[in-house]
Amino acid sequence: MLRPADSSEKIMKKFLLPLLSLVTPLVAADPAATAINTLGIELLERAARPGENSALSPFSIQTALVMTYAGAEGDTRDQMASVLHLPKDAVPAFAALQKQITSVPEEITLSVANRLFGQKGYDFRPAYLTLVKESFGAPLEPLDFENAPKESRDIINAWVETQTKDRIRDLIPENAITEETGLVLVNALYLKAPWAEAFAKGATVPQPFHLADGKKADVSTMTREDSFGYQKREGYTAVSLPYSGGDLQFLILLPDTAAGLPALEKSLTPALLAEAAMLPSGQVRLFLPKFKLEPPLFALGDTLKALGMKSAFNLPPGSANFDGIAPRRPNDYLYISNVFHKTVVEIDEKGTEAAAATAVVMMRAMSMPVEKPEPVEVRVDRPFLFAIQHRPSGACLFLGRVTDPR
């Protein structure tokens, strides 16, 4: 006969532990990750064209803007903190998250490079230069914008190309750098990550993909059965595929219908993304299309102004205050003229290669394991959302939509 304690232990092992394994683990909300994901959702909605393939890097955009925020003062600082959803002590919080994210296993290539390109001889504050160099590894490289704006643009774009393995070219468009440019803050991000288990190339065959307009298109579709993160939710299915090492994952949010993507986008929240970082595991037979996204250059200035970040762009005239970067004088002060962002994401049987870069251009104002069940079949054969996510923090390195994988 079992003693009561033995009986309780056996009941726990037999019934309660399997049930607990199905519960999604709680994810501690990293304040920097929450800010990254919140801005990413807003920019995907506002900056990307509705109904088209799109991708951006919330992590890259926020990093470049937080380096700029570090030198803002007064109303400019307050507006930036509000629009960017920044936590208190944002600079150390983002610096710590960058260090955490870049600590990846050797089989993954993940590089984050930051740099300031400033007008040579300009009176940048030494304390600011020290802060961004120590916090973000962003040294200052002097350039001669006043006398050689085109050559300066070429130097910055060449640096971005090098840091992103030639995946991001012409980040700063023609005429964006002028004789009045004072400072350009740049983040470049490159990722090459193999799946924890590769898809078999021989299993990739054309499969129909249901477009939002009701038409179908045959696309190269990979197939694999494995234990993936999986959860069926109201209106959509969430599936996550781990990359080698387990800290990074590819997240799929698949609406129930081909026309369901707009509603799913409207329901997307930072809390949903945080929860999706730790989906319960399930046996899944997954059909996933191969794709490569290279959206056009995003000029984010108007979007950020519309969200309420006006003072940083010197609206109204004379209001920009980046005295923390360089002394603000009545006839010579810095303001943001535009924020440029570009992204490339490619998914195949081996894994993912992705890159992104963000440039904040500042002008000088010269006046004022479980029992294996039967697999669930998930066919990613209709428009869907995706994210490349850092699981421990929930931060999205990349966020996008696929409406047509061709």
Side-chain angles (χ1 to χ4, degrees), residues 7 45 90 208 240 244 255 280 359:
S7 179
E45 176 188 3
S240 61
S244 184

Side-chain angles (χ1 to χ4, degrees), residues 212-271:
D213 61 5
K215 297 179 181 178
K216 294 181 184 179
D218 284 341
V219 301
S220 293
T221 302
M222 308 180 295
T223 305
R224 194 171 115 219
E225 181 182 323
D226 209 334
S227 178
F228 296 122
Y230 169 80
Q231 199 166 60
K232 179 68 185 77
R233 297 179 174 179
E234 185 176 354
Y236 70 98
T237 298
V239 179
S240 61
L241 293 71
Y243 293 104
S244 184
D247 277 0
L248 299 180
Q249 70 174 16
F250 183 77
L251 173 66
I252 301 162
L253 301 177
L254 180 68
D256 291 346
T257 67
L261 186 61
L264 177 56
E265 284 196 48
K266 289 185 182 299
S267 70
L268 191 60
T269 64

Side-chain angles (χ1 to χ4, degrees), residues 89-111:
D89 300 325
V91 172
F94 274 82
L97 181 59
Q98 176 176 300
K99 184 176 180 181
Q100 183 185 9
I101 286 175
T102 52
S103 299
V104 294
E106 60 182 11
E107 55 266 40
I108 289 180
T109 300
L110 175 58
S111 61

